Amino acid sequence: MSEPLGTDTFTPEEIEAARVRFARPVTFLMGAAKIEQLPSSDVAEVAFAGRSNVGKSSLINAVTSQHQLARASTEPGRTREVNFFTLDGGERLVDLPGYGFAVAGKKVTKTFQNLGRDYLRGRPNLKRVYLLIDARHGLKKVDGEALDALDLAAVSYQVVLTKADKLRPQSGVETLRAATLKAISKRPAAFPRVLATSSETGVGIAELRAEIAAALSI
Ligand code: GDP
């Protein structure tokens, strides 16, 4: 049996410690447009990836309780840079460029553009990638390609469902979570837990903070 929304994975003390950790200021460090511009790899990082419009900016803002930290863009595919945010303890959150967007009607099928791919391959301090999946759409072909790329790069990743509030009926969230977990169960680098979140209602955000805190401590 899968756990309901992962809520019993962490103790209340762990959830609270993660809340306190993320309540401290998180600052924008830099945006890198080229591999040469990536900051030093001497502090622990976790990264967020997903299709454009999946709710990545909103999720980063929700996790840090800073509404303007990551730019929530209404224009899919606008953000091509890898953006770095520094936690109070020095660790970093990394916002990878969204993938799978359409440019002038032409589908860009490359999952991770060069920079994102290079980042994933050459980052020994990268503790985990959170691969975001829109709960209304579930795993799409392009997401499967992203999972392939992560498996190939041997980067530990965890699937996080976004916009769980939008799923109707709400009971579908648990079904989708279980189905997603099953779909990734044979993937070598997949973390065996799927979180359902909503930046709108706050569901799953406390657990995601605890997941990130745990991953950063590895
Ligand atoms: P990004 O392109 O992945 O950074 O996605 P954004 O964070 O900009 O969000 C894309 C759209 O989805 C925006 O209109 C957001 O308001 C909306 N959105 C993001 N997260 C949620 C959520 O948890 N629930 C709902 N209902 N809408 C969301």
Side-chain angles (χ1 to χ4, degrees):
M1 276 298 284
S2 57
E3 314 136 1
L5 298 178
T7 42
D8 50 2
T9 305
F10 295 99
T11 65
E13 291 75 20
E14 286 167 329
I15 294 277
E16 175 59 11
R19 185 193 68 75
V20 169
R21 188 166 179 174
F22 282 93
R24 299 196 206 110
V26 183
T27 51
F28 176 69
L29 175 66
M30 62 171 295
K34 295 184 192 146
I35 187 91
E36 300 82 40
Q37 296 171 342
L38 293 176
S40 62
S41 55
D42 53 355
V43 295
E45 293 174 347
V46 294
F48 297 83
R51 297 172 80 194
S52 295
N53 219 37
V54 72
K56 187 156 51 68
S57 308
S58 303
L59 193 68
I60 293 172
N61 291 341
V63 161
T64 58
S65 308
Q66 287 182 222
H67 299 299
Q68 298 294 329
L69 190 66
R71 189 176 40 192
S73 169
T74 49
E75 197 182 314
R78 199 182 61 167
T79 327
R80 304 286 187 92
E81 298 190 335
V82 176
N83 289 302
F84 293 84
F85 305 96
T86 307
L87 300 182
D88 195 45
E91 310 93 330
R92 301 187 193 123
L93 305 181
V94 184
D95 185 3
L96 293 173
Y99 56 74
F101 49 87
V103 177
K106 192 168 170 275
K107 188 92 176 150
V108 177
T109 48
K110 270 189 191 163
T111 309
F112 290 112
Q113 300 292 323
N114 294 346
L115 179 58
R117 204 183 50 217
D118 289 347
Y119 168 80
L120 291 169
R121 283 185 182 163
R123 220 58 191 165
N125 56 328
L126 178 59
K127 303 294 183 176
R128 188 154 301 148
V129 172
Y130 296 94
L131 200 285
L132 313 186
I133 302 293
D134 190 321
R136 293 170 305 170
H137 307 314
L139 277 172
K140 295 285 185 197
K141 188 166 171 277
V142 70
D143 299 313
E145 290 165 10
L147 298 176
D148 289 345
L150 290 165
D151 280 327
L152 203 66
V155 174
S156 165
Y157 59 86
Q158 182 168 9
V159 173
V160 175
L161 302 172
T162 60
K163 308 187 190 181
D165 61 287
K166 285 201 171 185
L167 211 61
R168 296 288 179 273
Q170 273 291 291
S171 56
V173 174
E174 202 42 46
T175 311
L176 176 65
R177 212 172 66 87
T180 309
L181 192 57
K182 188 157 183 251
I184 60 163
S185 61
K186 297 228 162 59
R187 290 186 170 271
F191 194 74
R193 214 153 50 215
V194 171
L195 265 186
T197 65
S198 165
S199 304
E200 201 77 15
T201 65
V203 159
I205 300 298
E207 289 75 21
L208 178 56
R209 286 190 191 116
E211 293 279 9
I212 295 170
L216 284 172
S217 309
I218 291 171

